[in-house]
Amino acid sequence: MAETLVDTAADHGADATYSGPSNLEISVRPVPIRRALSNLIENALHYGGNVRVRVRRDGGAVEIVVEDDGPGIPDDRIADALQPFVRLDTARARDTAGMGLGLPIVSKAVRSENGTLDLRNRAEGGLRATIRLPLEQG
């Protein structure tokens, strides 16, 4: 699913790359997780101009890392970014697309699968979103 989303973005001319296995099965609700991954990829492309997605198995979990080279999120606003209807870019007009729901949707989808979402600014610039999902729901 992650590879397909990245390939679709690249097919539309985006600077998008995927690394990881071509097949890794996990038991999750596909629609919310697909939407979560799509939101992260779209945010990376919109704010960072590029996206790199890495998927790997890590013990009893799968780790999905979505990175970009954009401005990141101010450290003191990361928690705010996960709240519904919060838009961090105050310069954006109200009629600009987006309702401030992208990251809260990601967070809710991941939590509903007993996973975790970690947002961190990269030392070299940009944002790193790391999703960890258990391979087996229990």
Side-chain angles (χ1 to χ4, degrees):
M1 182 184 305
E3 185 175 22
T4 298
L5 289 168
V6 170
D7 286 348
T8 299
D11 288 347
H12 288 98
D15 181 0
T17 59
Y18 172 85
S19 64
S22 59
N23 185 23
L24 177 60
E25 291 186 25
I26 183 169
S27 179
V28 295
R29 288 178 282 274
V31 172
I33 293 300
R34 181 179 180 85
R35 184 167 185 197
L37 291 174
S38 179
N39 284 356
L40 288 175
I41 290 167
E42 288 173 14
N43 280 354
L45 291 170
H46 180 81
Y47 294 105
N50 67 324
V51 66
R52 290 176 301 282
V53 178
R54 291 189 319 272
V55 175
R56 72 183 185 103
R57 185 179 182 145
D58 185 25
V62 63
E63 183 178 80
I64 305 164
V65 178
V66 180
E67 295 181 327
D68 65 57
D69 294 327
I73 298 174
D75 288 333
D76 63 340
R77 302 291 315 271
I78 288 177
D80 294 339
L82 295 172
Q83 299 303 312
F85 305 110
V86 172
R87 292 171 61 169
L88 299 180
D89 186 353
T90 57
R92 291 177 69 187
R94 289 229 179 259
D95 60 353
T96 302
M99 297 287 296
L101 291 173
L103 289 175
I105 286 170
V106 173
S107 180
K108 182 178 179 182
V110 170
R111 277 194 326 269
S112 74
E113 300 296 340
N114 299 314
T116 60
L117 169 65
D118 181 60
L119 298 176
R120 293 181 192 252
N121 289 303
R122 300 171 57 235
E124 57 274 26
L127 187 69
R128 174 180 295 125
T130 304
I131 295 174
R132 288 185 57 82
L133 296 166
L135 285 170
E136 306 267 338
Q137 294 295 327

